[in-house]
Amino acid sequence: MTLVVGKMIAAHPGPGADFDSALATCIEECLACFQACTSCADACTAEADIASMVKCIRTDLDCADTCAACAAVLSRRTDTDLTVTRTLVEACLASCVACAVECERHAAHHEHCRICAEVCRRCEQACRQLLAALPKVG
Amino acid sequence: MTLVVGKMIAAHPGPGADFDSALATCIEECLACFQACTSCADACTAEADIASMVKCIRTDLDCADTCAACAAVLSRRTDTDLTVTRTLVEACLASCVACAVECERHAAHHEHCRICAEVCRRCEQACRQLLAALPKVG
Amino acid sequence: MTLVVGKMIAAHPGPGADFDSALATCIEECLACFQACTSCADACTAEADIASMVKCIRTDLDCADTCAACAAVLSRRTDTDLTVTRTLVEACLASCVACAVECERHAAHHEHCRICAEVCRRCEQACRQLLAALPKVG
Amino acid sequence: MTLVVGKMIAAHPGPGADFDSALATCIEECLACFQACTSCADACTAEADIASMVKCIRTDLDCADTCAACAAVLSRRTDTDLTVTRTLVEACLASCVACAVECERHAAHHEHCRICAEVCRRCEQACRQLLAALPKVG
């Protein structure tokens, strides 16, 4: 096993463990989605029907950027600002939905889109579960 | 002049110029904020009162990550998904506010916090103006 | 299993599979290292002996940035420029070594440093194996 | 003026000012190049001759990732590891050269490529000047 997210989350000296599991899962899915979307955008440019893949390249690249930022912010446990966390997870969720919808349109003819859509849907789900687990703001 | 954001935005073959100015300003402020926050987090760790700067380091790092992602997503004009754009700009705005509030607490004794707070407030303002300029979502 | 690196690498329409395994391993380790270093930098700021952790925070943050960039560049297979790939993997290797050396100094008293050092050493090894597997330039 | 790189560099409590100017210039050019390359990759996907722009999209995306990481690492002045700095600036230089060469091929017919090539060449130059200004490693 490569990722050690759960161990790193648990090794932080500060916070309790109230929503550790939802957090670790969301970080893992964000990392997987960052990689899958980066890979899918690149594979799209190598396809013969590249002209049909333009929107997919866009949604892939946006989703990769948002997931990377979200994975970093969620990995921090010190003096967390829940408004920052919530709005970023919501942005991540939106980019995962947009990318999943577009990749699903190409899933039948491009394996990278099929896999990427699955990863986006898993990340979307992890974002929803984290939003439900997070304490409410003020 | 180093940044060429306005020229790059204008050179895109596709979209019209409806909100180009608000977009270019927001990208520029996100880049400035990404750099200032990265620099401020690092300078905080070099201060004698580092133990008082812990929250500031956190808000700096989150703001840097969010601003970098926002600058990248806003720099794209092809097949824009307004829900993705809006939610990410809202996350950026939230991280700028959180970082400005914290940096302002240290502005009197740390010049890097004073400057960083100003940059965060400018980026916050640019995010608000872009949100007002963007077309509403369906 | 969260990461789908091997599947995404294999789904690219273009290149052969000459060094797929070394590539997929390196991407996975870069993602793990990006997360572990981000997490470790944050945990360091929450320790009572934060003043002793200043260099560790620095090496963590640099290593996180370099690993994220490396994971992205390595995930692309279209029209690869081997000079770009090699120099970036060498930078990643250097940042992993620097971070491992520093984290190892704190491994006995901080679990997050102990784990992070292990992840950095694994990523260092994956970078070395990829450099050995990559075709020579020109 | 949006960027405040020189002010942030000067506000750090620690290091002297030996190579501040080369450092600030390189950070500014990395930020400009990160934005221009992100923008150019996106504009390339919107062109009618997208099939001719595939390599340009790749070199743009790699250059954007490398420049963003380089801007972040160079913005830190605390406990700098010169081997990490040097190898990353060399990777940045390599990605700027690769992107400039490719964008220059399209400069006559795509304004975004013409501007992007100029920005890449400026960043390449700033990397060379920083490498010359940095202290030699041990």
Side-chain angles (χ1 to χ4, degrees):
Chain A
M1 180 59 182
T2 304
L3 299 179
V4 294
V5 180
K7 287 182 190 172
M8 290 305 296
I9 292 292
H12 190 288
D18 296 357
F19 50 90
D20 272 15
S21 170
L23 195 63
T25 299
C26 195
I27 294 168
E28 287 172 359
E29 296 300 346
C30 281
L31 293 169
C33 203
F34 161 54
Q35 195 280 324
C37 288
T38 302
S39 210
C40 187
D42 174 69
C44 286
T45 69
E47 296 290 354
D49 65 341
I50 181 173
S52 308
M53 306 309 294
V54 172
K55 185 172 183 179
C56 197
I57 295 169
R58 170 68 196 269
T59 57
D60 276 331
L61 293 175
D62 284 3
C63 196
D65 287 331
T66 312
C67 284
C70 199
V73 170
L74 293 180
S75 293
R76 300 185 188 114
R77 309 296 309 274
T78 308
D79 291 321
T80 295
D81 180 309
L82 285 170
T83 303
V84 171
T85 303
R86 279 192 169 279
T87 52
L88 186 55
V89 175
E90 277 159 9
C92 190
L93 195 162
S95 73
C96 287
V97 169
C99 195
V101 166
E102 183 60 24
C103 276
E104 284 161 0
R105 293 184 54 234
H106 309 284
H109 47 290
H110 293 319
E111 178 71 356
H112 49 85
C113 289
R114 191 190 63 73
I115 303 170
C116 190
E118 282 185 6
V119 176
C120 288
R121 290 295 184 194
R122 284 215 315 267
C123 193
E124 174 199 352
Q125 190 63 15
C127 288
R128 289 192 198 284
Q129 288 172 350
L130 180 57
L131 288 170
L134 283 175
K136 295 297 172 286
V137 176
Chain B
M1 180 58 183
T2 305
L3 298 180
V4 294
V5 179
K7 286 184 191 172
M8 289 305 297
I9 292 293
H12 190 288
D18 298 355
F19 51 90
D20 272 15
S21 170
L23 195 63
T25 299
C26 196
I27 294 167
E28 288 173 0
E29 297 301 346
C30 281
L31 293 169
C33 204
F34 161 54
Q35 195 280 325
C37 288
T38 302
S39 210
C40 187
D42 173 70
C44 286
T45 68
E47 296 290 354
D49 65 341
I50 180 174
S52 308
M53 306 309 293
V54 172
K55 184 171 183 179
C56 198
I57 295 169
R58 170 66 196 270
T59 57
D60 276 331
L61 293 176
D62 284 3
C63 195
D65 287 331
T66 311
C67 284
C70 198
V73 170
L74 293 181
S75 292
R76 300 185 187 112
R77 310 296 311 275
T78 308
D79 290 322
T80 295
D81 179 311
L82 285 171
T83 303
V84 170
T85 302
R86 280 193 169 277
T87 53
L88 186 55
V89 175
E90 278 159 9
C92 190
L93 195 161
S95 72
C96 288
V97 169
C99 194
V101 166
E102 183 59 25
C103 276
E104 284 160 2
R105 293 183 55 232
H106 308 284
H109 47 289
H110 293 318
E111 178 70 357
H112 49 85
C113 289
R114 191 190 64 73
I115 303 169
C116 190
E118 282 185 6
V119 176
C120 288
R121 289 295 183 197
R122 284 216 315 268
C123 194
E124 174 199 351
Q125 191 62 17
C127 289
R128 288 192 199 284
Q129 288 173 350
L130 180 57
L131 288 170
L134 283 175
K136 296 294 172 286
V137 176
Chain C
M1 180 58 184
T2 304
L3 299 179
V4 294
V5 180
K7 286 182 190 172
M8 289 305 296
I9 292 293
H12 190 288
D18 297 356
F19 51 90
D20 272 15
S21 170
L23 195 63
T25 299
C26 197
I27 295 167
E28 287 173 0
E29 297 300 347
C30 282
L31 293 169
C33 203
F34 161 54
Q35 195 280 325
C37 288
T38 302
S39 209
C40 187
D42 173 70
C44 286
T45 69
E47 296 290 354
D49 65 341
I50 180 173
S52 308
M53 307 309 293
V54 172
K55 184 171 183 179
C56 197
I57 295 170
R58 170 67 196 269
T59 56
D60 276 332
L61 292 175
D62 284 3
C63 196
D65 287 332
T66 312
C67 284
C70 198
V73 170
L74 294 181
S75 292
R76 300 185 187 111
R77 311 293 312 272
T78 309
D79 290 322
T80 295
D81 179 310
L82 285 171
T83 302
V84 171
T85 303
R86 281 193 166 277
T87 53
L88 186 54
V89 175
E90 278 159 8
C92 190
L93 195 162
S95 72
C96 287
V97 168
C99 194
V101 166
E102 183 59 24
C103 276
E104 283 160 2
R105 292 184 54 233
H106 308 283
H109 47 291
H110 293 318
E111 177 71 357
H112 49 84
C113 289
R114 191 190 64 73
I115 303 170
C116 189
E118 282 184 6
V119 176
C120 288
R121 290 294 184 196
R122 285 215 314 267
C123 193
E124 174 200 350
Q125 191 62 16
C127 288
R128 288 192 199 285
Q129 288 172 351
L130 180 57
L131 287 170
L134 283 175
K136 297 294 171 287
V137 177
Chain D
M1 180 56 182
T2 304
L3 298 180
V4 294
V5 180
K7 286 183 190 172
M8 290 303 298
I9 292 293
H12 190 288
D18 298 356
F19 50 91
D20 271 16
S21 170
L23 195 62
T25 300
C26 196
I27 295 168
E28 288 173 359
E29 296 300 347
C30 281
L31 293 170
C33 204
F34 161 54
Q35 196 280 325
C37 288
T38 302
S39 211
C40 188
D42 174 69
C44 285
T45 68
E47 296 290 354
D49 65 342
I50 181 173
S52 309
M53 307 310 292
V54 172
K55 184 172 184 179
C56 198
I57 296 169
R58 170 67 197 270
T59 57
D60 276 331
L61 293 175
D62 284 3
C63 196
D65 287 331
T66 312
C67 284
C70 198
V73 170
L74 294 180
S75 292
R76 300 185 187 111
R77 309 295 310 273
T78 308
D79 291 321
T80 296
D81 179 310
L82 285 170
T83 303
V84 171
T85 304
R86 280 194 169 277
T87 52
L88 187 54
V89 175
E90 278 159 8
C92 190
L93 195 162
S95 73
C96 287
V97 169
C99 194
V101 166
E102 183 59 24
C103 277
E104 284 160 1
R105 293 183 53 233
H106 308 283
H109 47 289
H110 293 318
E111 178 71 357
H112 50 85
C113 289
R114 191 190 65 72
I115 303 169
C116 190
E118 283 185 7
V119 176
C120 288
R121 289 295 184 195
R122 285 215 314 269
C123 193
E124 174 200 351
Q125 190 62 15
C127 288
R128 289 191 197 284
Q129 288 172 350
L130 180 57
L131 288 170
L134 282 175
K136 295 296 172 287
V137 176

